Amino acid sequence: MKRYTAILCLFFSATSMAQKAKYLYQDPSQPISVRVEDLLRRMSLEEKIAQLRHIHTEDYDAGGQPDMQRLEGFSKGHSFGCIEGFGLTSEQYLRSIYLVQQYMRLHTRWGIPVIPVLEGLHGTVQDECTIFPQAVALASTFRPELVEEMSGYIAEEMKAIGGKQVFAPDLDLARELRWGRVEETYGEDPYLVGEMGAAYVRGLRKYNMICTPKHFIAHGTPIGGINLSAVEGGLKQLYSLYLQPFERVVRDADPLSVMNCYSSYDGEPIAGSSFFLTDLLRKQLKFKGYVYSDWGSVSMLYDFHHTAAGPADAALQALKAGIDVEAASSTFENLDSLVRIGKLDVRYIDRGVRNVLYTKFKSGLFDDPLPDTTQAFKTHIHTPASIRLARTISDESIVLVKNEQHTLPLDESKISSLAVIGPNADELEVGDYTWSTGNSDGITPLQGLRKLAGDHIAIHYAKGCGLTGTDTSGFQEAIAAAQNSSVAVVFVGSRSASLAKETKNPTSGEGYDLDDLTLPGAQEALVEAIQRTGKPVILVLVTGRPFVLSWEKKNLPAIVVQWYGGEQEGNAIADMLFGHTNPSGKLPISFPQSTGNTPTYYNYLPTERGFYGSPGTEDHPGRDYVFAKPGALWSFGYGLSYTQFSFSDLTLSSNNVLATDTIRVKVHLKNTGDRDGAEVVQVYVHERVSSVETPVQALKAFKKVFLHAGEDQDVYLSLPINRLYLYNKELKRVVEPGDFQVQVGAASDDIRERAKIKVYATAQDRSHAAASQAGTSASLHSAGHSTSINEGQTIQITGTVRDIQSSVLSGVTIRDKSIGTTAVTDAGGGYTLPIKTGDILIFTLKGYATKEVTVGKNQVVNVRLMRGE
């Protein structure tokens, strides 16, 4: 303790001297730009390049102790850009960062501090810190305020151990479900991802921490689902989808850093692309701060992508493209020689250093005191408040996707015994990017159920099988457990890798991608064996990604999705199963019917679910998919409750709007059941006609509302019309004039209320339209209805109905609009119907746009129907 106190005294003495502001950059009262330029002009080329480089654990660590001689030999007396301490304990990290930071401030020429970096996707990744639910679980809450509160606790824990920058949030879109990193994302929808990501950054920025949104850009849709694989897509897809969450976070939350992705987009590696890292990120999004390279991504330009001839060429490409700090590779060592031989203009180095220094000044590194190691840092981590929040998030992230005949919640008074079965029943599955090494770091489902059951419910546990492998030797024990119990709860799913730690047979996480989305190993066979006992079976999928559960949906009465629920996941699932908490989670990712029936995201283009509208089955082959129906097993936004909610009286503050307007959406929500609960009111918008294809629907607003049993209230949501933009044929971002449908409901496929809005290009257009409508109404009112369309001679009409590709359509209903007589087309598409000339025929078939035809004197009326509503 005396040694640390002496160090503190030395530091504070040096700080007091610095406060005299010998140079402009040392004066906190000066604008950041002035401080940056003053310091930059004083630095040598070697000192500048050091700011673009990284100190790694092996550069200073000696068995958990900082070796300052090794550090000095590596740094050559220069301050560096960043430092990490992966693999160190929290106490080792704190001690090392303190001494290294002290060295940088007191023993380098300009006293430039280094940025200590940490992982913190769903909790600070250092031992003993709070383990919150994984990112995909956070998204399932549909409550950004919980994410913001969580990241505030992450900031406090980071500060307690000396960290300053966190590699989060992940803004990738989960549109390729085979990809192992799905769990790190906030789901498939760009609006939801942006809202959650912005909330995460806000929570940390309150503490002046540096956030690092990643992975810029389009990393989440690799070809084949294989991590780091190339991504394909045009600029319209890039701007409309992948850019949206980054734009939200960069423009509204000030993250101070961005991490590039490993992958290429249309063959252009992001790490070496000035289009992506400079034109798009800085010029278009107006990003301020610095670009931190994903680990080894610069060296990958020559040893993976093969777009660089060697390390020096890779460094040249990356720096000029816009990467400011290189991590986990050392190609930037070549920057000095590249300048000296005339291959690299020093202005690119100055640009990168400006960005790094700006971030250091903006985040307070130059002016804040070092973390005080004389205080007990453990009092600031894993606090009762952070543990309570971890539990709240776990409770609200559980998604009930099936509950036939009110199987759930279980009634404690009627159950004497419970079978707890499956490879994830007694495992703490918290997901990738955590420090956890085993069950001792939290509560497993089995532990949670045993605690709840106490002495009044017997728990019969059997693992049954592993998460991987085909060994079924444990089936008989599991079957016996089910047979001897009132109900069986089967926990299946996945296990994720853990950052920098050995994990046995992971099936999810970074670099652990799947070619098949059915449950791995013998898990599905175990579920089928338990189902055959005849006992009620509740399936709990503990996972970081969706799996195919088509058989389970058809054959089991209750299915629960528990995304990796953090350290409190066992308590959360036990209380949910027995009704002590009411599930309110919603799916942030659609579930597939089969691996081949992907992608299944809800916001597809109108042409992406088939044209023919006649899907088949194994027994009755059809078209589009010959043996299946396109679409999701459970769609985005879906999730059940133990109570029910009704939606009514949708009203908009205006139906005639301009692109600059913001309208208020109001809907009446009522809890019609007998339990308190929460519903997520979801607002989607569909553009009727547009110059380019737009999604059939897109989420634009949401709000989770808690209501007591029988309670009702008006729910208000804000809808800025500029959210309805598209990128047109010229790649210009516009809100096109036209008709839009506003949809409000409980899920993307459970829309309860609809309303129309019309967007006008100018206020003058809107005024003219209003005047025209008023005139038309007056004219119709005065004219009356003097002419009847029922007059005319009765004739026999025949004809054939086809689709646009000339295939005949059977089962089409043809109705006389005047008197209601009907006919239905036969197997050959033919029909016959008596009708009077002048009457109107209405042709309808599910999946096709309704068509009206006025009958003249022609006795043959052939019709083609188009796919549509």
Side-chain angles (χ1 to χ4, degrees):
M1 184 66 73
K2 291 180 179 178
R3 178 166 64 93
Y4 289 133
T5 304
I7 291 172
L8 275 176
C9 292
L10 178 62
F11 167 70
F12 287 125
S13 174
T15 302
S16 298
M17 292 170 58
Q19 287 174 346
K20 295 178 182 178
K22 180 179 179 181
Y23 303 112
L24 278 175
Y25 80 87
Q26 295 172 321
D27 184 357
S29 67
Q30 294 294 321
I32 290 177
S33 59
V34 172
R35 300 178 77 181
V36 168
E37 294 304 319
D38 180 67
L39 179 53
L40 183 65
R41 69 181 179 84
R42 301 177 189 281
M43 298 170 68
S44 67
L45 179 61
E46 291 77 11
E47 289 169 331
K48 291 177 181 177
I49 292 173
Q51 287 299 305
L52 309 182
R53 297 183 59 203
H54 209 294
I55 299 171
H56 294 286
T57 309
E58 60 268 22
D59 301 322
Y60 66 88
D61 180 62
Q65 299 292 328
D67 185 335
M68 303 310 292
Q69 286 187 331
R70 180 187 295 183
L71 174 68
E72 189 168 5
F74 169 76
S75 67
K76 298 181 174 57
H78 301 315
S79 176
F80 270 54
C82 299
I83 183 172
E84 55 90 3
F86 296 152
L88 301 180
T89 67
S90 292
E91 291 187 73
Q92 291 169 346
Y93 183 92
L94 173 58
R95 180 170 55 251
S96 297
I97 294 303
Y98 181 88
L99 293 175
V100 171
Q101 198 74 284
Q102 184 234 11
Y103 171 82
M104 293 297 171
R105 292 191 179 190
L106 301 182
H107 300 292
T108 62
R109 188 158 70 125
W110 304 114
I112 304 173
V114 66
I115 302 174
V117 300
L118 286 166
E119 294 286 0
L121 187 68
H122 56 115
T124 306
V125 184
Q126 293 294 149
D127 61 298
E128 300 184 61
C129 291
T130 313
I131 304 173
F132 294 95
Q134 179 60 289
V136 67
L138 295 169
S140 285
T141 69
F142 275 69
R143 287 187 70 194
E145 61 270 26
L146 292 180
V147 178
E148 184 171 343
E149 188 178 355
M150 177 201 73
S151 64
Y153 285 113
I154 292 173
E156 289 183 350
E157 295 185 338
M158 287 176 58
K159 185 177 180 180
I161 60 176
K164 190 63 177 180
Q165 177 171 340
V166 62
F167 298 152
D170 189 327
L171 302 183
D172 297 321
L173 300 183
R175 292 166 71 84
E176 171 50 83
L177 303 183
R178 294 172 294 177
W179 187 48
R181 304 190 74 171
V182 164
E183 65 182 74
E184 298 177 39
T185 76
Y186 295 124
E188 69 186 40
D189 179 76
Y191 178 73
L192 177 64
V193 171
E195 291 299 296
M196 293 295 181
Y200 181 99
V201 175
R202 285 196 303 269
L204 275 138
R205 292 295 293 127
K206 289 176 183 177
Y207 293 81
N208 213 7
M209 293 294 178
I210 303 167
C211 290
T212 317
K214 58 185 184 181
H215 305 87
F216 195 80
I217 186 174
H219 193 50
T221 315
I223 293 174
I226 298 176
N227 194 40
L228 279 64
S229 181
V231 177
E232 293 181 336
L235 288 178
K236 195 176 278 89
Q237 186 175 42
L238 179 77
Y239 294 152
S240 301
L241 283 172
Y242 303 122
L243 191 64
Q244 189 180 146
F246 282 96
E247 179 181 25
R248 170 77 168 94
V249 172
V250 168
R251 289 188 172 175
D252 299 337
D254 189 27
L256 292 184
S257 182
V258 163
M259 180 185 287
N260 70 285
C261 68
Y262 288 115
S263 54
S264 63
Y265 191 84
D266 282 349
E268 185 173 4
I270 306 299
S273 171
S274 59
F275 167 74
F276 288 102
L277 298 181
T278 298
D279 296 344
L280 194 58
L281 179 59
R282 293 201 181 274
K283 295 180 181 179
Q284 184 166 328
L285 297 192
K286 310 299 181 186
F287 169 66
K288 292 182 178 180
Y290 83 100
V291 175
Y292 181 102
S293 83
D294 206 342
W295 280 38
S297 64
V298 177
S299 63
M300 286 183 184
L301 292 174
Y302 71 88
D303 63 16
F304 187 58
H305 294 290
H306 303 293
T307 58
D313 191 20
L316 184 67
Q317 287 185 24
L319 184 70
K320 293 180 72 173
I323 286 182
D324 300 314
V325 171
E326 178 186 21
S329 56
S330 54
T331 72
F332 276 19
E333 289 179 345
N334 296 282
L335 296 179
D336 188 310
S337 60
L338 287 169
V339 171
R340 298 189 191 284
I341 64 176
K343 275 196 168 184
L344 175 63
D345 192 321
V346 74
R347 67 186 174 91
Y348 290 107
I349 291 176
D350 287 349
R351 181 185 68 177
V353 176
R354 280 191 183 93
N355 295 332
V356 174
L357 293 179
Y358 168 85
T359 302
K360 291 182 175 183
F361 280 116
K362 183 73 181 291
S363 64
L365 268 173
F366 275 88
D367 308 315
D368 293 343
L370 286 171
D372 186 354
T373 55
T374 64
Q375 301 298 317
F377 79 91
K378 287 189 178 182
T379 62
H380 301 289
I381 65 174
H382 205 241
T383 64
S386 68
I387 296 169
R388 283 195 299 271
L389 178 63
R391 172 60 194 274
T392 296
I393 295 172
S394 190
D395 286 340
E396 292 197 35
S397 65
I398 296 173
V399 187
L400 178 63
V401 293
K402 185 178 180 183
N403 193 21
E404 192 176 75
Q405 297 178 346
H406 303 290
T407 301
L408 291 173
L410 300 174
D411 189 336
E412 293 175 61
S413 67
K414 296 180 180 179
I415 293 178
S416 59
S417 57
L418 184 71
V420 180
I421 298 169
N424 264 339
D426 195 26
E427 295 291 339
L428 184 70
E429 300 289 2
V430 293
D432 204 352
Y433 285 90
T434 183
W435 60 268
S436 174
T437 56
N439 289 355
S440 60
D441 302 324
I443 310 297
T444 71
L446 178 61
Q447 291 170 341
L449 286 165
R450 279 177 170 162
K451 177 182 175 183
L452 186 149
D455 297 329
H456 60 284
I457 299 177
I459 299 292
H460 300 140
Y461 166 66
K463 184 175 181 179
C465 68
L467 284 164
T468 59
T470 58
D471 183 6
T472 61
S473 60
F475 277 26
Q476 286 307 312
E477 182 185 6
I479 291 170
Q483 290 172 333
N484 293 325
S485 302
S486 305
V487 178
V489 185
V490 185
F491 291 85
V492 297
S494 59
R495 170 176 296 139
S496 289
S498 185
L499 178 69
K501 294 179 176 65
E502 185 67 27
T503 307
K504 184 178 180 181
N505 299 327
T507 53
S508 187
E510 185 171 2
Y512 296 94
D513 314 306
L514 295 177
D515 68 318
D516 186 350
L517 293 173
T518 55
L519 289 170
Q523 292 186 71
E524 188 161 306
L526 173 66
V527 176
E528 292 175 1
I530 302 304
Q531 188 264 349
R532 286 195 295 269
T533 66
K535 294 299 179 80
V537 178
I538 299 162
L539 183 75
V540 180
L541 178 69
V542 183
T543 184
R545 59 142 68 88
F547 281 95
V548 172
L549 299 177
S550 296
W551 182 92
E552 291 79 358
K553 181 180 180 182
K554 181 178 179 181
N555 292 282
L556 302 183
I559 302 175
V560 178
V561 176
Q562 184 177 36
W563 309 110
Y564 297 140
E567 63 183 63
Q568 292 293 310
E569 64 184 7
N571 289 331
I573 193 63
D575 277 351
M576 177 267 169
L577 292 174
F578 280 92
H580 296 179
T581 58
N582 193 345
S584 63
K586 299 285 188 174
L587 294 179
I589 312 174
S590 302
F591 269 61
Q593 297 183 62
S594 66
T595 304
N597 204 339
T598 57
T600 56
Y601 44 78
Y602 84 97
N603 51 348
Y604 57 89
L605 298 178
T607 54
E608 291 179 353
R609 288 294 186 268
F611 171 78
Y612 304 100
S614 55
T617 65
E618 291 293 333
D619 296 325
H620 301 285
R623 299 183 79 176
D624 294 323
Y625 284 140
V626 174
F627 300 118
K629 180 180 180 180
L633 190 69
W634 294 295
S635 291
F636 174 87
Y638 177 76
L640 302 174
S641 170
Y642 292 152
T643 188
Q644 300 81 42
F645 296 90
S646 66
F647 293 69
S648 61
D649 301 327
L650 172 62
T651 58
L652 308 179
S653 58
S654 177
N655 299 91
N656 299 294
V657 299
L658 304 176
T660 54
D661 290 341
T662 294
I663 64 173
R664 185 182 64 178
V665 179
K666 184 186 80 169
V667 68
H668 192 72
L669 183 70
K670 183 174 182 178
N671 182 343
T672 60
D674 57 4
R675 287 177 177 263
D676 298 346
E679 179 62 280
V680 179
V681 177
Q682 302 167 43
V683 178
Y684 299 86
V685 175
H686 166 62
E687 187 168 6
R688 293 291 193 180
V689 179
S690 51
S691 62
V692 296
E693 275 194 283
T694 55
V696 295
Q697 57 182 165
L699 184 71
K700 298 300 178 184
F702 60 87
K703 180 184 291 186
K704 180 177 271 190
V705 181
F706 293 83
L707 294 177
H708 296 294
E711 183 183 4
D712 64 319
Q713 73 174 60
D714 287 333
V715 180
Y716 296 90
L717 302 99
S718 178
L719 178 59
I721 302 304
N722 60 17
R723 286 183 190 165
L724 311 186
Y725 69 84
L726 57 76
Y727 285 89
N728 64 18
K729 296 174 184 177
E730 291 75 37
L731 286 179
K732 292 181 179 179
R733 177 169 163 164
V734 296
V735 177
E736 293 187 335
D739 296 324
F740 294 78
Q741 185 184 74
V742 177
Q743 307 168 351
V744 179
S748 60
D749 63 346
D750 185 11
I751 301 302
R752 310 286 184 87
E753 295 281 303
R754 290 175 170 82
K756 295 179 181 179
I757 58 173
K758 192 173 186 65
V759 177
Y760 292 91
T762 67
Q764 187 177 22
D765 290 344
R766 180 167 58 181
S767 298
H768 287 166
S772 175
Q773 289 172 0
T776 301
S777 297
S779 175
L780 289 173
H781 180 74
S782 62
H785 301 280
S786 58
T787 305
S788 171
I789 63 169
N790 292 320
E791 296 177 357
Q793 180 181 356
T794 299
I795 58 176
Q796 195 82 353
I797 296 294
T798 61
T800 303
V801 182
R802 301 175 182 271
D803 65 16
I804 195 64
Q805 292 184 323
S806 297
S807 297
V808 294
L809 296 176
S810 61
V812 179
T813 299
I814 304 99
R815 179 172 62 87
D816 181 342
K817 190 172 184 178
S818 299
I819 60 175
T821 53
T822 62
V824 177
T825 57
D826 57 26
Y831 73 95
T832 301
L833 187 69
I835 192 172
K836 293 182 179 180
T837 57
D839 280 4
I840 297 175
L841 291 178
I842 303 174
F843 295 79
T844 58
L845 178 64
K846 185 177 181 181
Y848 289 82
T850 297
K851 188 166 187 175
E852 295 188 0
V853 177
T854 301
V855 177
K857 296 181 180 180
N858 194 337
Q859 293 181 281
V860 178
V861 179
N862 296 323
V863 171
R864 291 181 186 270
L865 298 185
M866 298 287 293
R867 292 287 300 167
E869 296 181 2

